[in-house]
C-alpha cells in the first residue's frame, strides 16, 4: 500500500535511502562497480542538515550542541556495534598478512576518518593492490560525520554576520552554499582528472553534493509541478539512478562530472516527492520500513561480503550466496537498529541531558577502541615472533619455525632498503633522490634506475656491490619507470616525465659502467618492450652509457601473501599458468641495441608450465607484483652472475662483437659477430 507525501515528512526520501543502500550492496556483491548510492546519501544528508537547522532562523550555539548530540546518538551505536563485530570477525577469518593495515583502517573508522585513510592507501604506491578493507564502507559515514560537523558551523556563522532578519539570513546561507558548491565541484573536477583515487575519498571533492542538497532544502517548496510532471520527473529520475552505472564506466571517473547524474537524479526524486508524485516503488510500507534500517544495512553488508570472500578464498559471489549476504545484513540491521540505535536515539532522558548524551556516545566508541587495543597487542606479539624467525632464517639460511619466509604477517613490510632509509622518491615528487651503497670510493659504478620494479632488486645488488667492491647509485621513484614516453598509460603520475628527464641527465653526469633497469611490461601475450624504454636507452646511448635491462617479473594480479595464508597447498593453489603471465618468447629477442644487454631470470619464478609465488619456503611476493626483500637477498648470487654476463657481453662488444642476451636460466652468454 502506498503512502502519500506530506509537508512534514517525505516518505519517498525514506524509500530513496532504502533503494540507495540496496544499490550499493547489489553493485558491490555482483557488479563490482560504483553505483552512485553514496552520492544519494550525501545529497539527502545535506538536504536534512540545512532544512532542519535553518527552520525558524539561524541556529544558536546551544542549538548546534543539541544537534551534534542528536546526530551522535543516531550514528554512534550502530557504527560501534559494526566495528566491534568486524574486529572479531577479522581475528577469526582474516589472513594475518592483512592485520597491520586493517588495524589502521579500524582505528580510522572509529574516529570517522576512514575516507582519509583510504585516500592515503589509494595513492600510496606501496599499498596499491592491497585487498579491500572490511572497514572500507565506513568511508562514506566518515564523510557524512565530517559534514554533520562542518555544515552546522557554516549555518551558524551565516547568522552571525550581516542583518539578523530571516530573509537576509536565507540569502547569506544560499550564497555560502553556492560558493562552497562551486569551489568543491571545481576542485572535484580538477582532482578527479589529476588523481582520481585520492579524489574519490577526499571530503573536499564531495562538499558540493551536500551543498546541492542544502540548496534544494530552500528551493523545494518553490518548485511547483503538476501531478503528471511530478510523476514523470520522479520515475525518470529513479530509472536513471538505478541504471546509469550499468552503461557508463564510472569507477575511474567519480566524483567528477559523472557524479552529477546520481546527484541530480536524487534531487529530481525529492522535488517530485514534494509535489505528491506518489512513486509506489519508494513510498510503499515495506520500502519505507526498510528505509529505517538502511543506515545499519549499509554498514553491515560490506564486512559480511568481505568475510564471505575470506572464508571461500574467492572474489566472485554467486546469486544465492549474494542473496544470503543481503538477507543477513538486513537481519543484523534490524537487530542493530532496534536493539542498539533506537534505545539511544529515542531516549527521552538523553534528549534532555546533553552532556549525558555525549558521555554515552563516548562510552560506546570506547568499545571498538578496546577491541582494537587487544587486536593490536596480539599483532605486536606475532610480529615480534615473525621478525625473529625471519632474522634467524636469513642468518642461518635454513628454516626456523615459520611456514614461509618472510612470514605472511610481515610480508608487506619486507621492503627494499631504500624504502626504509628515505632513498626512494615518492610517486608524486619530481625531484631526484640519489643515494650510494656498496663501496663509495670504488672506480666501478653501477646505477639502479627506474620504478619499484627496479628498486626491488636493491638488496641483491647491494650484496654484490659489497662483495665485489663497486659503488651502487640509486635513482628510483615509485610508479615511474625509466621511460621517456610522457603519454604512456603505465606512467600514472604527472611528475614522472620531468623526473625521467632529470634521471637521464644525472646518469650522463655520473657516467657509470652501466645502468640496471627493467626491460618489459605487460602480461602473457601482451608482454612487450615499451617505446618509452627504448627512447630512454637511446638517450643514454648518446652519452655512451650502457644498460643492463632485466625482464620484469610476473604480475600475479592478486595479493600473494593473502593467497598463501588462505591455502595450505599454496605453491599450487596460488600458481598461475606461465602463458598467462609471460609471453612464450621474450619480447627483448626482437631488439638489438649496441648499448643494451638484455637479461632474463624468469626461471626463478616460472618453469615451462606455471609460475609459483613460492620457492620452497621462500615467499617471492609481498603483494601482487613486487618481490619480497628476502627473496631479493637470496637471489644475490643469480644477480651477481647476471652482472658478470653483462660485463662479458660489454667487453665482447668492445672487442668487435655484440650480444643479444643471455637466455633465461641458461647461464650462457650469446655472442654474435658484429660488423
Amino acid at each position: 500500500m502506498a503512502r502519500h507525501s506530506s509537508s512534514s515528512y517525505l516518505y519517498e526520501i525514506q524509500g530513496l535511502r532504502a533503494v540507495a543502500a540496496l544499490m550499493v550492496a547489489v553493485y558491490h556483491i555482483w557488479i563490482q562497480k560504483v553505483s552512485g548510492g553514496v552520492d544519494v546519501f550525501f545529497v539527502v544528508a545535506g538536504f536534512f542538515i540545512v532544512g532542519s537547522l535553518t527552520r525558524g532562523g539561524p541556529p544558536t550555539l546551544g542549538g548546534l550542541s543539541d544537534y551534534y548530540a542528536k546526530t551522535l546518538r543516531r550514528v554512534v551505536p550502530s557504527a560501534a556495534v559494526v566495528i566491534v563485530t568486524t574486529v572479531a570477525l577479522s581475528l577469526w577469518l582474516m589472513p594475518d598478512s592483512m592485520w597491520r593495515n586493517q588495524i589502521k583502517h579500524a582505528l580510522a573508522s572509529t574516529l570517522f576518518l576512514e575516507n582519509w585513510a583510504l585516500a592515503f592507501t589509494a595513492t600510496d604506491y606501496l599499498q596499491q593492490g592491497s585487498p579491500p578493507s572490511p572497514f572500507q564502507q565506513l568511508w562514506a559515514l566518515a564523510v557524512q560525520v565530517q559534514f554533520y560537523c562542518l555544515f552546522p558551523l557554516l549555518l551558524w556563522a551565516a547568522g552571525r554576520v550581516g542583518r539578523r532578519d530571516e530573509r537576509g539570513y536565507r540569502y547569506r546561507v544560499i550564497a555560502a552554499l553556492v560558493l562552497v558548491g562551486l569551489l568543491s565541484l571545481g576542485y572535484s573536477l580538477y582532482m578527479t582528472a589529476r588523481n582520481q583515487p585520492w579524489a574519490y575519498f577526499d571530503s573536499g571533492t564531495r562538499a558540493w553534493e551536500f551543498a546541492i542538497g542544502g540548496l534544494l532544502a530552500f528551493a523545494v517548496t518553490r518548485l511547483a509541478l503538476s501531478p503528471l510532471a511530478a510523476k514523470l520527473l520522479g520515475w525518470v529520475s529513479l530509472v536513471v539512478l538505478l541504471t546509469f552505472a550499468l552503461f557508463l564506466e564510472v569507477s575511474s571517473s567519480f566524483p567528477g562530472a559523472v557524479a552529477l547524474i546520481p546527484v541530480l537524479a536524487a534531487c529530481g526524486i525529492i522535488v517530485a516527492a514534494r509535489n505528491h508524485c506518489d512513486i509506489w516503488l519508494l513510498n510503499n510500507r515495506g520500502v519505507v520500513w526498510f528505509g529505517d534500517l538502511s543506515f545499519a544495512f549499509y554498514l553491515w553488508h560490506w564486512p559480511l561480503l568481505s568475510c564471505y570472500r575470506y572464508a571461500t578464498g574467492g572474489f566472485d559471489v554467486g546469486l544465492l550466496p549474494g542473496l544470503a549476504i543481503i538477507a543477513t545484513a538486513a537481519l543484523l540491521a534490524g537487530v542493530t537498529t532496534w536493539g542498539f540505535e533506537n534505545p539511544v536515539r529515542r531516549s527521552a532522558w538523553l534528549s534532555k541531558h546533553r552532556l549525558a548524551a555525549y558521555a554515552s556516545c563516548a562510552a560506546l566508541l570506547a568499545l571498538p577502541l578496546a577491541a582494537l587495543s587487544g587486536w593490536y597487542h596480539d599483532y605486536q606479539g606475532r610480529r615480534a615472533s615473525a621478525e625473529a624467525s625471519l632474522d634467524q632464517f636469513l642468518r642461518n639460511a635454513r628454516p626456523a619455525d615459520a611456514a614461509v619466509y618472510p612470514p605472511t604477517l610481515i610480508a608487506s613490510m619486507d621492503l627494499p632498503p631504500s624504502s626504509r632509509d628515505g632513498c626512494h622518491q615518492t610517486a608524486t615528487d619530481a625531484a631526484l633522490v640519489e643515494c650510494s651503497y656498496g663501496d663509495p670510493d670504488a672506480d666501478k659504478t653501477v646505477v639502479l634506475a627506474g620504478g619499484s620494479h627496479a628498486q626491488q632488486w636493491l638488496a641483491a645488488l647491494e650484496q654484490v656491490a659489497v662483495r665485489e667492491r663497486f659503488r651502487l647509485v640509486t635513482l628510483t621513484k615509485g610508479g615511474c619507470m625509466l621511460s621517456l614516453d610522457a603519454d604512456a598509460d603505465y606512467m600514472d603520475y604527472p611528475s614522472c616525465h620531468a623526473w625521467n628527464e632529470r634521471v637521464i641527465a644525472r646518469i650522463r653526469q655520473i657516467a657509470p659502467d652501466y645502468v640496471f633497469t627493467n626491460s618489459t611490461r605487460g602480461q602473457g601475450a601482451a608482454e612487450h618492450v615499451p617505446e618509452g624504454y627504448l627512447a630512454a636507452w637511446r638517450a643514454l646511448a648518446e652519452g655512451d652509457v650502457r644498460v643492463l635491462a632485466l625482464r620484469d617479473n610476473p604480475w600475479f594480479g592478486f595479493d600473494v601473501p593473502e593467497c598463501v595464508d588462505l591455502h595450505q597447498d599454496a605453491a599450487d593453489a596460488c600458481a598461475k599458468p606461465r602463458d598467462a603471465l609471460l609471453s612464450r618468447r621474450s619480447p627483448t629477442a626482437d631488439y638489438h641495441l649496441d648499448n643494451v644487454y638484455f637479461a632474463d631470470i624468469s626461471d626463478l619464478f616460472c618453469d615451462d608450465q606455471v609460475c609459483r609465488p613460492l620457492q620452497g619456503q621462500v615467499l617471492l611476493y609481498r603483494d601482487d607484483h613486487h618481490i619480497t626483500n628476502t627473496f631479493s637477498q637470496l637471489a644475490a648470487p643469480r644477480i651477481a652472475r647476471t652482472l658478470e654476463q653483462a660485463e662479458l657481453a660489454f667487453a665482447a662488444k668492445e672487442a668487435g662483437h655484440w650480444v643479444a642476451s643471455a637466455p633465461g636460466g641458461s647461464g650462457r652468454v650469446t655472442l654474435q659477430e658484429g660488423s
Side-chain angles (χ1 to χ4, degrees):
M1 176 180 176
R3 302 176 69 169
H4 295 284
S5 302
S6 69
S7 59
S8 61
Y9 188 81
L10 301 176
Y11 289 111
E12 276 89 350
I13 294 182
Q14 192 73 336
L16 179 59
R17 284 171 161 164
V19 168
L22 285 169
M23 277 177 57
V24 172
V26 168
Y27 274 76
H28 280 164
I29 293 170
W30 289 299
I31 305 176
Q32 287 93 47
K33 291 179 67 176
V34 172
S35 66
V38 295
D39 303 271
V40 174
F41 294 154
F42 296 160
V43 172
V44 172
F47 180 82
F48 281 118
I49 291 171
V50 174
S52 62
L53 284 175
T54 58
R55 190 180 301 119
T60 63
L61 286 177
L64 289 188
S65 184
D66 288 337
Y67 178 81
Y68 289 146
K70 181 179 179 181
T71 300
L72 289 173
R73 293 189 349 253
R74 168 77 171 89
V75 167
V76 168
S78 294
V81 170
V82 170
I83 293 172
V84 168
T85 307
T86 305
V87 168
L89 290 172
S90 298
L91 281 164
W92 177 33
L93 294 172
M94 182 188 290
D96 64 6
S97 58
M98 295 178 62
W99 282 18
R100 174 173 172 265
N101 286 333
Q102 301 318 318
I103 289 173
K104 296 178 181 178
H105 285 296
L107 178 61
S109 297
T110 305
L111 301 177
F112 301 109
L113 296 172
E114 173 63 354
N115 64 308
W116 295 109
L118 288 169
F120 282 106
T121 299
T123 55
D124 182 349
Y125 187 76
L126 295 178
Q127 294 191 57
Q128 289 176 5
S130 298
S133 167
F135 303 94
Q136 185 164 306
Q137 86 287 7
L138 288 156
W139 79 268
L141 176 60
V143 172
Q144 283 186 269
V145 169
Q146 290 161 31
F147 284 106
Y148 283 143
C149 293
L150 294 176
F151 263 40
L153 290 175
L154 177 67
L155 301 178
W156 174 81
R160 306 275 75 77
V161 297
R163 296 170 57 186
R164 298 301 177 93
D165 63 290
E166 184 174 346
R167 185 177 182 182
Y169 171 65
R170 178 187 295 269
Y171 287 153
R172 289 194 298 275
V173 171
I174 290 174
L177 291 174
V178 168
L179 179 61
V180 168
L182 290 176
L183 290 175
S184 172
L185 181 58
Y187 176 64
S188 179
L189 295 173
Y190 169 77
M191 284 303 298
T192 302
R194 182 177 179 84
N195 190 348
Q196 189 271 337
W198 175 277
Y200 190 85
F201 299 109
D202 187 338
S203 299
T205 64
R206 301 286 185 165
W208 65 274
E209 298 177 306
F210 290 85
I212 285 181
L215 289 169
L216 186 61
F218 286 117
V220 70
T221 57
R222 291 168 171 76
L223 297 174
L225 300 176
S226 68
L228 178 61
K231 188 174 288 290
L232 182 63
L233 175 62
W235 278 105
V236 169
S237 298
L238 181 59
V239 170
V240 169
L241 177 64
L242 292 174
T243 62
F244 83 97
L246 295 174
F247 303 103
L248 299 177
E249 183 50 54
V250 296
S251 296
S252 60
S253 55
F254 263 76
V258 72
L260 284 165
I261 298 175
V263 166
L264 294 179
C267 291
I269 291 170
I270 293 173
V271 171
R274 184 71 187 189
N275 284 272
H276 310 289
C277 66
D278 191 19
I279 305 175
W280 61 264
L281 190 62
L282 296 180
N283 65 13
N284 68 80
R285 290 186 182 276
V287 174
V288 172
W289 172 83
F290 188 74
D292 291 334
L293 310 181
S294 60
F295 171 59
F297 174 83
Y298 170 81
L299 296 183
W300 276 116
H301 86 279
W302 182 258
L304 292 176
L305 175 60
S306 298
C307 288
Y308 174 82
R309 288 170 173 163
Y310 297 148
T312 62
F315 187 83
D316 293 332
V317 180
L319 176 61
L320 291 180
L323 291 174
I325 290 171
I326 289 176
T328 305
L331 176 63
L332 291 173
V335 173
T336 304
T337 301
W338 299 319
F340 295 91
E341 178 190 316
N342 286 350
V344 176
R345 179 163 64 99
R346 296 178 179 176
S347 169
W349 188 79
L350 290 177
S351 298
K352 296 176 182 178
H353 298 83
R354 187 189 308 159
L355 292 180
Y358 284 118
S360 298
C361 291
L364 286 171
L365 288 176
L367 297 177
L369 291 175
L372 277 172
S373 177
W375 191 8
Y376 181 72
H377 180 75
D378 189 9
Y379 164 74
Q380 286 291 80
R382 296 192 186 197
R383 175 179 173 178
S385 176
E387 290 174 343
S389 176
L390 177 60
D391 184 60
Q392 180 183 347
F393 172 73
L394 292 174
R395 286 201 317 269
N396 301 329
R398 62 176 183 270
D401 57 0
V404 298
Y405 299 91
T408 54
L409 179 71
I410 59 173
S412 66
M413 297 180 286
D414 198 29
L415 303 173
S418 56
S419 288
R420 300 190 298 268
D421 61 19
C423 289
H424 182 61
Q425 182 56 281
T426 63
T428 56
D429 199 325
L432 295 184
V433 174
E434 179 180 328
C435 294
S436 294
Y437 300 83
D439 185 350
D441 301 319
D443 294 330
K444 175 182 173 181
T445 299
V446 175
V447 171
L448 174 63
S452 58
H453 276 242
Q455 179 217 14
Q456 65 187 357
W457 295 106
L458 174 57
L461 288 167
E462 184 181 16
Q463 285 190 27
V464 180
V466 170
R467 184 169 63 249
E468 299 186 6
R469 301 188 64 80
F470 63 82
R471 182 168 71 113
L472 176 64
V473 176
T474 59
L475 292 167
T476 60
K477 170 177 166 62
C480 295
M481 286 53 70
L482 187 62
S483 170
L484 289 181
D485 184 355
D487 299 321
D489 58 3
Y490 55 80
M491 303 289 268
D492 295 330
Y493 300 94
S495 59
C496 286
H497 187 62
W499 178 82
N500 265 301
E501 290 182 331
R502 293 169 184 168
V503 166
I504 297 295
R506 179 57 184 147
I507 290 174
R508 287 175 173 177
Q509 288 180 340
I510 296 172
D513 291 75
Y514 52 89
V515 173
F516 187 104
T517 191
N518 299 111
S519 65
T520 60
R521 281 189 69 81
Q523 300 184 42
E527 188 184 11
H528 65 287
V529 179
E531 287 298 321
Y533 289 21
L534 296 169
W537 301 338
R538 294 186 184 112
L540 291 174
E542 294 174 3
D544 295 323
V545 176
R546 299 178 296 195
V547 177
L548 190 167
L550 182 69
R551 187 180 188 181
D552 200 7
N553 58 274
W555 291 39
F556 273 76
F558 54 81
D559 189 83
V560 169
E562 179 189 2
C563 182
V564 171
D565 256 347
L566 291 171
H567 298 92
Q568 291 184 344
D569 58 338
D572 293 325
C574 302
K576 296 191 72 171
R578 177 191 173 96
D579 290 343
L581 303 183
L582 297 172
S583 63
R584 181 55 58 178
R585 179 172 177 267
S586 175
T588 60
D590 297 326
Y591 297 91
H592 303 283
L593 284 76
D594 286 349
N595 70 317
V596 180
Y597 173 82
F598 294 110
D600 182 355
I601 60 173
S602 57
D603 59 293
L604 291 179
F605 303 90
C606 312
D607 57 28
D608 288 339
Q609 300 299 321
V610 299
C611 299
R612 292 184 171 86
L614 286 168
Q615 293 290 350
Q617 287 187 280
V618 178
L619 180 61
L620 274 56
Y621 288 81
R622 58 180 165 86
D623 52 28
D624 60 330
H625 60 94
H626 292 100
I627 66 171
T628 61
N629 197 58
T630 297
F631 175 62
S632 181
Q633 293 180 67
L634 296 175
R638 180 60 179 277
I639 293 297
R641 192 171 75 192
T642 301
L643 299 185
E644 180 183 359
Q645 292 169 344
E647 290 167 3
L648 287 173
F650 291 138
K653 171 66 176 66
E654 292 179 356
H657 300 79
W658 61 279
V659 62
S661 66
S666 70
R668 298 189 301 274
V669 177
T670 302
L671 297 176
Q672 298 177 347
E673 293 294 334
S675 57

